Structure formats: structure tokens, C-alpha cells
Amino acid sequence: MNRRNFMSSALASAGVLTGFEAIAEASAAPFQFENKLSLKILGTNWGFEGTTDAFCAAVKKEGYDGIEIWWPDTRDKQNELFTALKKHGLEVGFLCGSGETDYAVHLDAFKKSITAATTEYVQKPLYVNCHSGRDHFTYDQNKAFIDHTSEATEKTGIPIYHETHRGRMLFAAHITRNFIEKNPQLRLTLDISHWCNVHESLLTDQQETVKLALSRVGHIHSRIGHEEGPQVNDPRAPEWDATVKAHLAWWDAVVEQKVKSGETLTVLTEFGPPHYLPTVPFTNQPLADQWAINVHMMQMLRKRYLK
């Protein structure tokens, strides 16, 4: 028996693997989608070792609706992606961003990526999710990213969201509030795990700010973070009960808004590989199975939010 199977068997015997689902079922979500097509759950290729076709085949087999992936930077990679999407009948959301330190270079690369992802596709994306700006850029510098994506959405009709991500423009709750209040067109990808880490809390002291942010969410990255890190080792473990409940409450609020407005909600299951996923010292063996956690998240979210 290999290490992965041993861990899965041992945890299942201890009743640990059902902990997350038990929490989710203990108090039913206050709002659920009547139409199954109103909730689209996507898989991440982050940490997947294999071709794009193999990834799409694996995602389809698990029952995901589609994938979220960085916009390919070459024609060959684009052709590979769109061929795999068509073959396996999957939808897609694109990631765009830039890692440049110089502001002018960074913004230029970002604009080119957004333009390509919203005009050069073969299959129209459900949305574009942005790793926008940098935490050390000024407010006015970062606002340029919002202005550009707002124009792109108006021209193409493709929703473009800015992610609440460490190191980026919306790295902290109070910083994001300032952007929200001054930019009514701003829409968010909620990855609130980052804020738990940045503020070293479950944000109970910033409830009004979080409520405001939730009202602007179009897309969710359903990773669960905690006070000391952006990802718990395994959300199914009972020691994370309070943390899981906090994240479910935030997601419940977003679902409520989407149900009432009749909008579709997209969700990415985004538990990451090492070193987001903690490992055993010296061996670098992951403490849990990333793929299995993400599949579990997908199944739990469907069960919780679909009637």
C-alpha cells in the first residue's frame, strides 16, 4: 500500500474524511440554486503533471463543468487548449496577470494579456480572473488595471474579475474596501483565504468590510485559509471546524445574492500543491492529496448549493 492510500484508509477509518461534509450538512445553506446550470464548478491545473489533454480528461471524469487556466502565451498552446476543451466538452475561465516589477512594463503586459484573452479565443470564456497590479503600486497605478478591464468588459461582454490575492492590488480587506468605494464597476474573485492570512484572523473585526466585498463577488476560489496560512492542510480534518464554518458562511452570502439576482456563479476548487500544501520535513511528502481535496470540495459545494 502506498503512502497516499495508507493515509486515505487511516483517515477514513478514523472518520476524519467525513468531517468537512458533516459541517456542511449540519446547517443547510440558506439559499440554493434551482437550476443546476446556475452553479459552474471548475478544476485547476495548478500542480497537475501531464498534458492539457490529460488534465481535461481527468477533470471531465471527475464531473467538473470546466477548467480555469492561465491564458496561453503561444498559438501552439492555445490550439492545444481549445482542442482539449472541445474534445472533452468543458467550459473555461482564463487567468491573466503580470509579474513585472516595473510599473509601466507590468501594465503593458497585463493589457496585452487581457486583450488577447477577450478577443483571440476560439471558445468564449465564462470570465477572466485577474492577478491585478502589485501591493506596492500606488492607488492610482493600480486603478489603471480596473479602468482597463472595465473597458474590456464593456467591449466584449466578458466578465472580468480582480482577485483578492496576496502581493496583488487587493491583498488586504481594508485596501480592497478603498478600491470598492471609489470604483463602482469593480468586481471581485473572492479568495478570502489570503485575507485570513494577511490579517492573521478570521476577519471578525472587519465584518462590514467583508460584507461590502461579498456584494461585489462574481467568482469564488474555494480554498480555505487560516490565521497563519492561505491553505489548511486538509479541510476535512476536525481541527479546522471553525475555519471551515467561517468560509462556508462567506460563500453562503455570495450564493444568496446570486440566487436572488438570477445570476450564474462560477467557483474554482483551488487547493494547491506543495508548498501551499504542507509537507513532511526532509522528505517533502505532501500531508494530504491535493486532487482528492479539490474533488471533495466540488462534490460538497454541489451538494450544498444545488436543490
Side-chain angles (χ1 to χ4, degrees), residues 221-232:
H221 279 190
S222 61
R223 188 173 60 251
I224 293 177
H226 58 106
E227 295 93 328
E228 307 303 337
Q231 178 173 301
V232 299

Side-chain angles (χ1 to χ4, degrees), residues 287-300:
L287 294 180
D289 183 338
Q290 177 206 3
W291 185 269
I293 290 174
N294 280 324
V295 171
H296 188 88
M297 291 289 294
M298 178 263 291
Q299 294 170 343
M300 183 279 298

Side-chain angles (χ1 to χ4, degrees), residues 15 17-18 33 82-83 100 106 158 176 202 289 294 297:
L17 293 188
T18 60
F33 293 103
F82 291 120
T83 297
E100 301 292 340
H106 186 120
I158 297 172
T176 303
L202 292 179
D289 183 338
N294 280 324
M297 291 289 294

Side-chain angles (χ1 to χ4, degrees), residues 163-303:
E163 187 174 343
T164 58
H165 200 292
R166 287 172 302 146
R168 298 294 182 173
M169 174 175 77
L170 306 179
F171 69 96
H174 63 293
I175 299 297
T176 303
R177 178 167 190 155
N178 183 47
F179 280 102
I180 290 174
E181 291 174 341
K182 294 178 180 178
N183 299 275
Q185 74 276 32
L186 174 62
R187 293 295 179 269
L188 307 178
T189 289
L190 182 74
D191 191 340
I192 204 165
S193 65
H194 290 284
W195 287 357
C196 293
N197 189 193
V198 167
H199 295 288
E200 205 170 15
S201 74
L202 292 179
L203 307 171
T204 54
D205 56 347
Q206 296 192 72
Q207 293 184 44
E208 287 303 313
T209 296
V210 171
K211 183 178 179 181
L212 178 61
L214 294 176
S215 72
R216 295 291 190 90
V217 173
H219 176 51
I220 291 174
H221 279 190
S222 61
R223 188 173 60 251
I224 293 177
H226 58 106
E227 295 93 328
E228 307 303 337
Q231 178 173 301
V232 299
N233 50 26
D234 193 321
R236 301 167 294 188
E239 57 265 37
W240 300 115
D241 284 6
T243 307
V244 168
K245 288 176 181 176
H247 284 72
L248 288 175
W250 291 321
W251 301 338
D252 286 354
V254 176
V255 170
E256 177 180 353
Q257 294 173 64
K258 299 304 179 185
V259 169
K260 289 180 176 179
S261 67
E263 295 177 291
T264 296
L265 175 64
T266 54
V267 181
L268 177 72
T269 60
E270 208 208 15
F271 272 76
H275 291 282
Y276 252 72
L277 185 64
T279 60
V280 177
F282 302 105
T283 67
N284 208 35
Q285 291 263 3
L287 294 180
D289 183 338
Q290 177 206 3
W291 185 269
I293 290 174
N294 280 324
V295 171
H296 188 88
M297 291 289 294
M298 178 263 291
Q299 294 170 343
M300 183 279 298
L301 292 167
R302 283 225 179 95
K303 191 171 185 179

